[in-house]
Amino acid sequence: MLLVPCPWCGPRAEIEFRYGGQAGIAYPKDPDGLTDAEWVEYLFLRDNPKGPWRERWVHTAGCRRWFDVTRDTLTNEFLG
Amino acid sequence: MSGVTDDHVPQHPDRLWRHPEPKPAYDVVIIGGGGHGLAAAYYLAKIHGISNVAVVERGWLAGGNIARNTAIIRSNYLWDESAAIYEHALKLWETLPEELDYDLLFSQRGVMNLAHNLGDVREGMRRVHANRLNGIDAEWLAPDDVKRLCPIVDTSPDVRYPVLGATYQPRGGIAKHDHVAWGYARAADRLGVDLVEGAEVTAIDIAAGRVTGIQTSRGPIRAGNVAIVAAGHASIVAAMAGLRLPLQSHPLQALVSELLEPIHPTVVMSNAVHVYVSQAHKGELVLGAGIDSYNGYGQRGAFHIIEHQMAAAVELFPVFARAHVLRTWGGIVDVSPDASPIVSKTAVSGLYLDCGWGTGGFKATPASGWVLAHTIANDEPHALNRAYSLERFETGALIDEHGAAAVAH
């Protein structure tokens, strides 16, 4: 089980969290103006790296706040 | 129903296939020496007469998800597109041991999907009817029928996950996963396919919008066509061709008990509590879990997933409380947004994808190879995989098995 570093509560067991996938995916500024290909990009395409990436967690059983963190997807090491 | 004792584990010769040096060029190079890639190579040679084929594998043959799955075979999917391809697979399974001249320990002992609440019951009945309309064997079982077919299931009403009924596919079952890969590998090898192990792909060569070959740790290989059949690593390999895929890779765990006397005559799955159980021919109970929530390539998962799964399994099968876990492991599954696979042409001419099988790829192995071989040979999808294109994410023609039958494959 991962020890997830909540920035407000400190390192806590993974079962207290829900996963939010890739960080930094902003809702389209002008959704009416998006092409189908741009909707694919927003809805379905995410990075899927083997190594460090930026991801979101929410501390559902703790402070209930969302945060971003960098984790290595191969080693599971949290890198800050 | 064939019992768990009436088969045997055959002995193997030391070598089932050659270990050739890679040739400078092939008509088709398949990246990924797992079940699907080996099946595709076999059908390319067998059906389409294309035997100048290499299967290039980073590690050793059949060491990824084909060696890590829970070996369950069924075709009782809700949606027409899914039912068609998985039923084609099941029909291929039924003659595959004979065709490959290899004992796959294919045992049609039936697959049961339990319903624990009214929603499950309605979904299950709907799926039984949908299956029958698609010509797939499906029955609805009352709790007494469940008890009769699998006496070790606790069907008493006062448990945490009461059994309110089950769907049942008598033709479903299990096979020995390693034998499937080895059978395809040996048959493909005999037809002239080169199985190149220990060759990690480092680049995909593209010129004027057409694939021309690959770079590997064992040197460059020119290729007329290249197929990416890399399961959990599909995104990594596709990125070498500049493709972004709608896939996320997750750890998926499974475990086995120590060897036990035959106690479990069928396959029992429960989507609601994320557990699926069968008993292998040797006697170990084989249990699969749900995926770990986070993206990962570590081929291991978290213990709380196992704990949750075992709690549900012991509740459903009280007799399991006395069994011991012998081994747990993880594989990396490539999950698509609609939990359905991608078997497709790409924007790069001559480059094909067979990925996104997520948690349910084993049962599809013969059909996946079959339709990929067709797609490569004709540069056009087969009727069975036309719907499984990359374009569906843009057109919106999704095949939403997340919401249907695919919580646990």
Side-chain angles (χ1 to χ4, degrees), chain B residues 230-250:
Chain B
H233 284 71
S235 299
I236 310 294
V237 179
M240 297 175 191
L243 299 177
R244 287 189 84 202
L245 302 182
L247 297 174
Q248 298 282 276
S249 294
H250 290 267

Side-chain angles (χ1 to χ4, degrees), chain B residues 32-381:
Chain B
H36 291 217
L38 293 166
Y42 169 73
Y43 291 120
L44 273 171
K46 175 79 177 182
I47 297 176
H48 304 283
I50 302 170
S51 57
N52 187 23
V53 174
V55 177
V56 176
E57 167 56 45
R58 179 178 64 134
W60 59 89
L61 221 61
N65 292 348
I66 186 70
R68 296 161 194 265
N69 63 81
T70 50
I72 297 170
I73 295 166
R74 63 186 180 89
S75 65
N76 56 352
Y77 280 73
L78 178 67
W79 301 119
D80 292 348
E81 298 88 347
S82 311
I85 196 165
Y86 288 106
E87 176 61 15
H88 184 64
L90 182 46
K91 288 202 168 78
L92 290 171
W93 280 114
E94 286 173 330
T95 55
L96 198 58
E98 191 180 355
E99 174 166 358
L100 298 178
D101 188 25
Y102 206 107
D103 187 355
L104 307 180
L105 303 185
F106 176 55
S107 165
Q108 291 178 290
R109 58 185 62 183
V111 171
M112 213 183 268
N113 286 74
L114 301 180
H116 301 292
N117 54 52
L118 187 58
D120 285 355
V121 170
R122 288 173 172 161
E123 187 279 322
M125 286 182 168
R126 179 191 181 197
R127 189 149 52 81
V128 165
H129 291 304
N131 290 161
R132 286 182 176 174
L133 287 171
N134 277 318
I136 293 168
D137 58 321
E139 298 169 22
W140 178 255
L141 303 180
D144 287 351
D145 302 323
V146 172
K147 191 76 180 171
R148 180 175 49 78
L149 279 165
C150 190
I152 58 173
V153 177
D154 184 356
T155 54
S156 56
D158 56 349
V159 295
R160 185 174 173 194
Y161 305 109
V163 174
L164 303 185
T167 68
Y168 186 58
Q169 182 177 25
R171 288 164 61 240
I174 58 172
K176 179 76 177 162
H177 45 24
D178 292 330
H179 291 198
V180 175
W182 300 339
Y184 271 123
R186 185 180 67 166
D189 175 83
R190 285 178 177 172
L191 292 169
V193 172
D194 281 358
L195 308 177
V196 182
E197 297 173 73
E200 180 170 2
V201 175
T202 55
I204 296 175
D205 302 326
I206 296 166
R210 177 159 190 100
V211 72
T212 58
I214 59 171
Q215 303 290 322
T216 81
S217 56
R218 292 182 67 179
I221 300 173
R222 296 196 307 281
N225 301 277
V226 173
I228 299 171
V229 197
H233 284 71
S235 299
I236 310 294
V237 179
M240 297 175 191
L243 299 177
R244 287 189 84 202
L245 302 182
L247 297 174
Q248 298 282 276
S249 294
H250 290 267
L252 176 64
Q253 300 183 84
L255 62 90
V256 291
S257 73
E258 79 257 67
L259 306 187
L260 301 168
E261 292 294 312
I263 52 163
H264 185 10
T266 181
V267 181
V268 175
M269 308 178 63
S270 169
N271 284 357
V273 297
H274 264 305
V275 73
Y276 31 111
V277 191
S278 66
Q279 187 170 19
H281 293 77
K282 272 194 302 183
E284 65 266 49
L285 295 167
V286 183
L287 292 91
I291 59 171
D292 281 65
S293 68
Y294 52 81
N295 288 35
Y297 285 86
Q299 291 190 321
R300 57 184 294 182
F303 186 73
H304 70 269
I305 302 284
I306 299 282
E307 188 180 20
H308 173 73
Q309 163 204 14
M310 293 305 285
V314 170
E315 180 82 10
L316 286 172
F317 303 90
V319 68
F320 288 3
R322 290 167 173 246
H324 297 104
V325 171
L326 181 70
R327 198 158 52 88
T328 76
W329 65 91
I332 302 303
V333 297
D334 45 333
V335 180
S336 70
D338 58 0
S340 288
I342 299 164
V343 186
S344 179
K345 298 169 69 171
T346 68
V348 179
S349 183
L351 182 67
Y352 304 90
L353 292 171
D354 188 343
C355 57
W357 291 93
T359 60
F362 173 73
K363 72 177 82 64
T365 301
S368 170
W370 177 287
V371 297
L372 178 61
H374 179 100
T375 305
I376 296 169
N378 298 286
D379 196 30
E380 275 299 319

Side-chain angles (χ1 to χ4, degrees), chain A residues 1-2 14-15 17-19 21-22 35-41 43-51 53 55 57 71-76, chain B residues 58 232-233 235-236 244-250 292-305 307 334 337 392-395 398:
Chain A
M1 189 185 302
L2 304 182
E14 182 191 337
I15 48 170
F17 297 82
R18 291 293 173 88
Y19 190 58
Q22 184 174 354
T35 64
D36 287 351
E38 287 165 339
W39 274 115
V40 174
E41 179 73 27
L43 288 173
F44 297 131
L45 293 185
R46 296 291 180 269
D47 296 339
N48 191 21
K50 185 178 186 174
W53 88 323
E55 64 189 10
W57 294 85
R71 181 178 56 93
D72 187 311
T73 62
L74 179 60
T75 65
N76 284 330
Chain B
R58 179 178 64 134
H233 284 71
S235 299
I236 310 294
R244 287 189 84 202
L245 302 182
L247 297 174
Q248 298 282 276
S249 294
H250 290 267
D292 281 65
S293 68
Y294 52 81
N295 288 35
Y297 285 86
Q299 291 190 321
R300 57 184 294 182
F303 186 73
H304 70 269
I305 302 284
E307 188 180 20
D334 45 333
R392 75 176 186 271
F393 299 100
E394 188 164 333
T395 63
L398 303 181

